[in-house]
Amino acid sequence: MRCHIVLLACWPSIVAAYWEQGGSSSADRMKSDPYTQAMEMSRRAKLDPNLMRNDPDHFKKMFGQLAVEQNQHKAMEETKNVKPEDKCMVCNGVVVEFEAMLAERHQSKKRAQLAVLEVLDDICHLDRYEFQDPVKLNERRETSRKYGGIAPPVFANGCKQVVDLWNQDDDYETILVKGGPSANMHESLRNKACSEVCSGLDVLIKVQGDTLVREGQEGQCADPSKKKKKKKKESGPTFKIND
């Protein structure tokens, strides 16, 4: 056990990434950076000798989460340059996610300015669009794929750029506070909030089920993390050779 604690103490400082700083509660700890989480888990293991017996995957989770966060940081650094066409799609997706988060956090039908600003502060967190199990690293979900098939790091970077644009103009805040009908995945609000981002682009975004696709892209936006069923090979006719 001591060797794990020493190793964590020597772990290099991780570059700030895409988590929220938290306090000392269990909920806040899950929002803190992975290095802080690892140190907290290490202290718990030192103080509670039954921890490893009760949770055999304790250190797998700890180091797995560190690996996940480092991979996320690398992916975000490599995808900062978002294509204008992708940013247009991201903007539309952000509006849909914005409405979903607003409904999740604030049950009141009244759309308060503070509630809108709180959602915008958190909406671009990469963890909302990508989940990877820290123990079973092959198990992952990429919910951003339902918006034009865009990869989570690209979506999160595009989201930051869209929200930065909105923060520069009070008119966008007014638009978001006012809202609009939910029909066609909030099409009216998407058109208003993304008018500048999508201006001059030959991009037509359509609703397909619970996803958004570019025209001509229908059926091409499946989450690659989902395994496809293999087609059974059809056996050919058999022939019997008489002696």
Side-chain angles (χ1 to χ4, degrees):
M1 183 71 70
R2 186 176 300 169
C3 65
H4 288 294
I5 297 168
V6 173
L7 178 59
L8 283 172
C10 298
W11 194 277
S13 177
I14 297 177
V15 181
Y18 314 99
W19 49 78
E20 302 166 16
Q21 292 297 335
S24 58
S25 69
S26 177
D28 287 336
R29 186 167 58 248
M30 292 307 294
K31 294 181 181 179
S32 60
D33 67 84
Y35 179 73
T36 301
Q37 290 181 47
M39 293 301 293
E40 175 65 22
M41 292 176 74
S42 182
R43 283 191 291 269
R44 286 174 56 208
K46 183 179 180 181
L47 296 172
D48 183 3
N50 292 319
L51 182 62
M52 291 302 294
R53 284 193 287 269
N54 296 333
D55 185 6
D57 291 331
H58 179 81
F59 280 102
K60 282 185 179 180
K61 293 176 184 175
M62 184 167 53
F63 288 104
Q65 188 61 34
L66 284 168
V68 168
E69 292 282 1
Q70 285 183 316
N71 289 337
Q72 286 182 336
H73 173 70
K74 182 174 183 290
M76 289 289 285
E77 288 296 311
E78 292 174 347
T79 56
K80 284 185 175 180
N81 295 324
V82 183
K83 297 178 182 178
E85 295 82 3
D86 287 342
K87 194 184 299 185
C88 176
M89 173 59 79
V90 168
C91 182
N92 280 263
V94 170
V95 172
V96 177
E97 291 294 319
F98 168 82
E99 289 295 324
M101 289 182 69
L102 199 61
E104 291 167 5
R105 296 186 176 192
H106 305 279
Q107 303 299 325
S108 174
K109 293 183 179 180
K110 186 177 180 181
R111 300 168 70 96
Q113 180 187 32
L114 181 58
V116 167
L117 295 178
E118 286 178 352
V119 170
L120 291 181
D121 279 344
D122 298 336
I123 197 168
C124 297
H125 197 297
L126 180 58
D127 284 350
R128 182 171 179 85
Y129 309 106
E130 175 184 73
F131 168 78
Q132 188 169 10
D133 191 299
V135 177
K136 301 176 182 177
L137 294 176
N138 290 330
E139 293 187 9
R140 59 187 296 135
R141 294 191 302 272
E142 298 182 344
T143 57
S144 68
R145 296 287 182 179
K146 67 181 182 178
Y147 303 118
I150 294 179
V154 177
F155 192 94
N157 271 318
C159 176
K160 289 172 182 281
Q161 295 169 21
V162 168
V163 172
D164 283 346
L165 176 66
W166 288 348
N167 287 334
Q168 294 171 17
D169 191 336
D170 291 341
D171 288 344
Y172 286 114
E173 183 181 305
T174 303
I175 289 171
L176 294 173
V177 171
K178 186 176 180 180
S182 60
N184 216 25
M185 293 183 74
H186 307 281
E187 182 178 22
S188 176
L189 183 57
R190 287 191 287 113
N191 289 339
K192 293 176 184 177
C194 301
S195 59
E196 184 175 351
V197 176
C198 299
S199 177
L201 300 176
D202 187 18
V203 177
L204 179 60
I205 295 176
K206 301 169 60 177
V207 173
Q208 181 177 284
D210 63 345
T211 67
L212 295 178
V213 297
R214 297 186 186 95
E215 186 172 273
Q217 191 186 27
E218 294 86 350
Q220 300 178 19
C221 301
D223 186 339
S225 62
K226 294 181 179 179
K227 294 181 180 179
K228 296 181 179 179
K229 293 183 178 179
K230 293 183 179 180
K231 293 183 178 180
K232 292 183 178 180
K233 292 183 179 180
E234 296 181 2
S235 57
T238 57
F239 299 95
K240 184 177 181 181
I241 300 176
N242 294 325
D243 293 333

